[in-house]
Amino acid sequence: MKNVFDSLVVAELVSRINRLSPTTPAAWGKMSVDQMLAHCNVSYEMVYEDKHPRPGPLKSLVLKALVKRAVVGPRPYRRNTPTAPQFKMVSPKDFEQEKQRLIGFLERVQRDGERAFEGRSSHSFGPLSTTEWSTMFYKHLDHHLTQFGV
């Protein structure tokens, strides 16, 4: 799995994002490209913005037991995997705004570096290692960029 704390990896991801256009079609799934960008931004909003409520103790326990390994582990996501409610996008989004936000978040993660993430508590899974953070960020974004052919 590529490391999102590496500037070359971030440059590659930004290049892929910049190849998207407002009319880029999806190879699978229900989201439009603008919705996909907004969907991908949710992962970073949970780190940098106080926008999404944290799960309660019981839900957090369930997420750690049943979902964490699939999200932070190395196995790629399958197509059309169900997503959490806060990641669901049903209305149109501003393509350019969501694209710039995503690039900004990627650059911020890379700039903040591994030390800022080692042991940092995730919104849903508790403390994660830098490897888990990087895997979670890269795997999710790679999955959706592949969905849109870039």
Side-chain angles (χ1 to χ4, degrees), residues 130-145:
T130 55
T131 300
E132 290 172 322
W133 278 107
S134 181
T135 298
M136 179 173 65
F137 287 145
Y138 184 84
K139 181 169 77 168
H140 186 235
L141 188 52
D142 179 64
H143 172 79
H144 288 295
L145 292 176

Side-chain angles (χ1 to χ4, degrees), residues 75-127:
R75 190 173 280 159
Y77 293 125
R78 292 179 318 223
R79 293 179 178 190
N80 298 312
T81 301
T83 192
Q86 62 268 37
F87 285 87
K88 290 186 179 179
M89 300 296 150
V90 292
S91 62
K93 305 297 178 187
D94 182 309
F95 172 82
E96 196 59 41
Q97 179 182 2
E98 296 300 334
K99 180 177 124 178
Q100 293 309 315
R101 287 182 69 228
L102 184 55
I103 290 170
F105 282 137
L106 282 168
E107 291 172 344
R108 184 170 177 186
V109 165
Q110 191 272 315
R111 218 175 28 252
D112 287 353
E114 293 181 5
R115 288 190 341 175
F117 283 86
E118 183 58 47
R120 184 180 191 148
S121 187
S122 85
H123 197 65
S124 301
F125 307 122

